[in-house]
Amino acid sequence: SVSGTSSVGGIAGHLYVNSLVQNSYNAGIISANGGGIVGNIFGNNNQQLLNNFYLNTTASYGIYKSSNDSFESQSDNETTPLDASEMPSILSVINGDNAFAEDTLNINNGNPILKWELQYK
């Protein structure tokens, strides 16, 4: 869970110049003034969001606020809200660099985990 008074995001609080958030997901609760993936995008400075997902009960929007012409304030642009039952299915989408693994040991409530986490169970 993440909380704060402004620009709270499940993956990133602020995106500035030449930022990329890709192949990520958030299942933690975000405070009322936050986005499931990003809290705030500043300006129109080559920020990109690709293949990002968040649990739909944790935030109202994927992006809470944006002053970037490419993204609307309080939007899901390039972020996808999912039900809890859908979260495990994102493994094949976010696993482009083969960093994630299926949570067969229920380490993360069935949601994808990072491969290195398997060595500690």
Side-chain angles (χ1 to χ4, degrees), residues 34-98:
I37 300 297
V38 176
N40 198 351
I41 297 176
F42 289 102
N44 193 2
N45 298 304
N46 197 30
Q47 298 98 334
Q48 295 180 15
L49 291 157
L50 303 166
N51 291 332
N52 298 289
F53 304 87
Y54 67 97
L55 187 58
N56 64 2
T57 57
T58 62
S60 297
Y61 300 96
I63 303 165
Y64 181 70
K65 183 179 175 186
S66 176
S67 58
N68 182 330
D69 294 337
S70 299
F71 299 94
E72 294 179 21
S73 186
Q74 298 183 333
S75 76
D76 286 327
N77 194 337
E78 300 300 330
T79 67
T80 304
L82 298 174
D83 292 327
S85 64
E86 297 173 298
M87 288 298 277
S89 69
I90 64 171
L91 180 61
S92 63
V93 177
I94 64 174
N95 211 15
D97 56 3
N98 206 28

Side-chain angles (χ1 to χ4, degrees), residues 11-31:
I11 301 298
H14 299 284
L15 288 188
Y16 291 103
V17 177
N18 298 322
S19 301
L20 172 64
V21 178
Q22 182 176 0
N23 298 337
S24 69
Y25 78 94
N26 172 46
I29 296 171
I30 306 303
S31 69

